[in-house]
Each structure stands twice: as structure tokens, then as C-alpha cells.
């Protein structure tokens, strides 16, 4: 008879996509993972993975065990959550995915403080330059910044976040202050590649007037911190989230350009698979997260 540890092991293989990745996640060598899998197959008397396939492929029995096993694990964890709730505490695992820069600066401290207050909750934070491209069912919460494409995920508002066009004072002194968004087409710009967006097409509005500008870029990166540093060094104009550049604008390291024109907001939201029926640890973390950004987001404080 198998137990929950065996099912969790098999689900980790399914989520990781390979025995090598499973080993990294579990802190085991690939040979140790393979050996444990063989022991599980021997215990069950059936083959769970087809090793002749070029890609990781579960047999019909392996796929069934993953599907039904995941349901049982969820019920098992919910049962122990309920028992812990009766003792007045939180327990269980919480898996969170978030953007690199925002996760480092603002989310990591919140998570550490929440875990300190609830020591029986294990929290795994994954930082990514494209959180929405990750497999959504791998995470309990996905933090997202900006417009949300069509999705079956449920959004929970965390904090408002505008986007500003910025450059260094030295850059403005050299090239002058642009008067309209169309002037940006003739200036060196730096673009950020994220969420598979058209990074060099910038949109603006002013009252009922709206326009889009295709900017020229000799520098680009998928890390917002890199393009911010390049802008501070005077290498070009950036379109960047308020949370990332507000401090630099206050300090004078960056100058906001075109303040009368508005770029589309990129508000911070947390995404879950469901609105109702969330584990108590997920609900309470969401409330805690929202409380840390209200009534005023830290970049507006």
C-alpha cells in the first residue's frame, strides 16, 4: 500500500517535468530519484512512467495515480488544516509566484513577516520574469502587475500602480524635454521585455486624446532593475512602473517626462484559481498582503 509521501513524490515528478528537475527540487541525485521511483513501481506492481519515451510520459496507471492522488492529497491537507484551525493556528504549504523586481523589493519582506507570525505555514516563493507563463496550478497565488489577459484565474486587488516615462537629468540636459509622446520616437529609449507584450509600442492618453508611439531601442532587457539603472546612467528613456522609479524621482536620479500624458496603469493584483473554497492560510495571507499596501502603497508614502 502506498502512502501520501509516495503520492507527493509522484506529483513532484509530474510538476517538474523530468527526473533531473525532480532531483533538484527534492535535493536528491537523479539516480536516487530513479531508484525511489523503481521502489514505488515494485510496491504497486505496475509501471508508472514510460522510460522509452523521449519526453517524460506517464503510463495510464501513473496518470490515474497522479489524478486521483492529487485529489486525495488535497482532501488530506484540508483535513489537517481543519484540525489545526481548531487549535487556533494556520498550517500547510503556500506556493507563491511573483515578478522578479517587485517580488524582491516588496513581496519578500511581507512573506517573511507572515511566516514569522505563522510558523507552521511553509511558504515557497518563486520569482519569475513572466509569472503568467508558469503553470498556474503549480501555485496557490500568482502576483501580477499590469493588464490581465483572458484567464480563468480570479484577481484580487493589492495596490494601484501607475507607469511613468523617465530619464536622467543628464539625458534631459543633452536631448531636451519632450513635449509630446511623438517626440519619443526620435530619442534613444530602453525597453523592458515582459509578459510577451509589444515592448517598443508605448501608449498614452490625455483627456479624450490617445496615441501610440513606436520607440527606437538599442538597449533592452527582461529585468526592470537593469533598465532602471541604465536610465539613471543617462543611456535612454524608459517607461517603468511607479513602484520601481518613485524613489529615484524623489531623489532626483530620474526626471519624469510628459507628466500631463498618462500611460496605462499597471496595478498590482494577486491571482488565485478560485474565489471561494480557498484554504484558510491562503485567505489570511491575501488579507495580510492587502493590509501591507493599504491605505497607501509604499511607493506613494
Amino acid at each position: 500500500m502506498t502512502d501520501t509521501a509516495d503520492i507527493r513524490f509522484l506529483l513532484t515528478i509530474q510538476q517538474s517535468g523530468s527526473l533531473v528537475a525532480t532531483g533538484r527540487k527534492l535535493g536528491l541525485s537523479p539516480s536516487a530519484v530513479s531508484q525511489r521511483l523503481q521502489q514505488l513501481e515494485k510496491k504497486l506492481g505496475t509501471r508508472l512512467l514510460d522510460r522509452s519515451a523521449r519526453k517524460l510520459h506517464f503510463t495510464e496507471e501513473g496518470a490515474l495515480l497522479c489524478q486521483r492522488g492529487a485529489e486525495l492529497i488535497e482532501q488530506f491537507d484540508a483535513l489537517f488544516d481543519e484540525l489545526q484551525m481548531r487549535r487556533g493556528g494556520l498550517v500547510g504549504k503556500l506556493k507563491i509566484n511573483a515578478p522578479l523586481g517587485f517580488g524582491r523589493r516588496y513581496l519578500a519582506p511581507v512573506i517573511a513577516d507572515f511566516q514569522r507570525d505563522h510558523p507552521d505555514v511553509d511558504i515557497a516563493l518563486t520569482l519569475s520574469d513572466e509569472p503568467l507563463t508558469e503553470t498556474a496550478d503549480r501555485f496557490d497565488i500568482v502576483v501580477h502587475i499590469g493588464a490581465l489577459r483572458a484567464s480563468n484565474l480570479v484577481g484580487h486587488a493589492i495596490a494601484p500602480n501607475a507607469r511613468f516615462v523617465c530619464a536622467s537629468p543628464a539625458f534631459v540636459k543633452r536631448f531636451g524635454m519632450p513635449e509630446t509622446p511623438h517626440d519619443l520616437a526620435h530619442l534613444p529609449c530602453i525597453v523592458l521585455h515582459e509578459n510577451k507584450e509589444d515592448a517598443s509600442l508605448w501608449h498614452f492618453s490625455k483627456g479624450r486624446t490617445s496615441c501610440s508611439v513606436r520607440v527606437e531601442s538599442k538597449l533592452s532587457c527582461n529585468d526592470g532593475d537593469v533598465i532602471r539603472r541604465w536610465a539613471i546612467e543617462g543611456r535612454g528613456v524608459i517607461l517603468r512602473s511607479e513602484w520601481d522609479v518613485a524613489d529615484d524621482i524623489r531623489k532626483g536620479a530620474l526626471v519624469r517626462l510628459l507628466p500631463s500624458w498618462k500611460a496605462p496603469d499597471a496595478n498590482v493584483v494577486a491571482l488565485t484559481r478560485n474565489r471561494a473554497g480557498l484554504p484558510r492560510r491562503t485567505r489570511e495571507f491575501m488579507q495580510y498582503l492587502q493590509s501591507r499596501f493599504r491605505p497607501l502603497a509604499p511607493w506613494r508614502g
Side-chain angles (χ1 to χ4, degrees):
M1 179 178 177
T2 188
D3 57 26
T4 59
D6 290 331
I7 296 175
R8 292 181 197 275
F9 169 69
L10 195 62
L11 290 173
T12 301
I13 296 177
Q14 183 187 53
Q15 294 166 358
S16 301
S18 74
L19 298 186
V20 174
T22 300
R24 285 197 298 265
K25 192 168 185 177
L26 297 178
L28 301 173
S29 67
S31 61
V33 172
S34 182
Q35 184 178 10
R36 183 173 175 183
L37 176 60
Q38 290 172 10
Q39 292 172 347
L40 177 57
E41 290 176 327
K42 184 178 180 181
K43 183 192 297 187
L44 295 172
T46 188
R47 202 166 181 80
L48 301 175
L49 280 177
D50 182 3
R51 291 157 175 79
S52 63
R54 298 184 65 180
K55 291 185 177 180
L56 192 65
H57 179 70
F58 282 85
T59 64
E60 185 175 343
E61 292 77 11
L64 177 62
L65 184 56
C66 284
Q67 178 186 347
R68 297 291 298 277
E71 297 171 0
L72 292 173
I73 290 294
E74 186 173 343
Q75 294 173 12
F76 184 83
D77 289 345
L79 172 60
F80 276 83
D81 281 357
E82 184 175 345
L83 292 174
Q84 188 70 10
M85 285 169 58
R86 296 186 180 209
R87 290 171 44 203
L90 298 182
V91 68
K93 294 183 178 179
L94 190 58
K95 295 177 290 184
I96 303 171
N97 197 0
L100 284 165
F102 185 84
R104 279 194 300 261
R105 191 183 305 184
Y106 290 109
L107 195 57
V110 174
I111 288 174
D113 289 346
F114 183 83
Q115 200 284 324
R116 176 200 61 204
D117 296 340
H118 304 283
D120 291 326
V121 177
D122 298 334
I123 305 180
L125 172 63
T126 300
L127 299 181
S128 169
D129 58 343
E130 294 184 353
L132 289 182
T133 64
E134 302 281 354
T135 305
D137 59 8
R138 288 179 52 200
F139 300 97
D140 301 298
I141 296 173
V142 176
V143 176
H144 176 68
I145 299 176
L148 184 62
R149 299 188 298 271
S151 171
N152 59 353
L153 298 175
V154 178
H156 308 261
I158 301 299
N161 174 56
R163 293 199 296 172
F164 298 153
V165 180
C166 305
S168 71
F171 183 93
V172 173
K173 184 176 181 180
R174 179 182 175 190
F175 290 95
M177 185 72 75
E179 296 182 2
T180 72
H182 296 288
D183 294 336
L184 299 175
H186 308 293
L187 295 174
C189 293
I190 306 169
V191 301
L192 174 67
H193 294 288
E194 62 179 354
N195 297 325
K196 299 189 182 301
E197 297 176 351
D198 189 347
S200 63
L201 186 63
W202 295 359
H203 306 282
F204 299 92
S205 63
K206 183 179 182 181
R208 296 184 178 181
T209 303
S210 61
C211 66
S212 298
V213 180
R214 177 72 66 181
V215 299
E216 293 289 335
S217 173
K218 297 295 185 182
L219 288 171
S220 65
C221 186
N222 68 333
D223 189 327
D225 190 56
V226 170
I227 72 162
R228 182 182 63 84
R229 291 179 183 276
W230 281 342
I232 291 173
E233 294 169 1
R235 301 180 187 276
V237 178
I238 60 171
L239 175 61
R240 193 68 188 113
S241 279
E242 177 186 5
W243 70 259
D244 192 30
V245 297
D247 283 346
D248 294 314
I249 292 174
R250 277 193 287 268
K251 295 174 184 176
L254 289 174
V255 177
R256 185 179 174 187
L257 311 180
L258 303 170
S260 62
W261 289 85
K262 179 177 176 59
D265 289 336
N267 295 329
V268 183
V269 297
L271 307 172
T272 60
R273 293 191 296 276
N274 305 293
R275 187 175 297 278
L278 294 174
R280 183 185 169 199
R281 61 181 175 273
T282 303
R283 297 197 311 271
E284 294 213 6
F285 176 79
M286 291 285 294
Q287 294 170 2
Y288 185 81
L289 178 62
Q290 290 172 326
S291 72
R292 291 285 290 261
F293 291 88
R294 296 177 180 174
L296 198 63
W299 46 89
R300 295 185 177 181

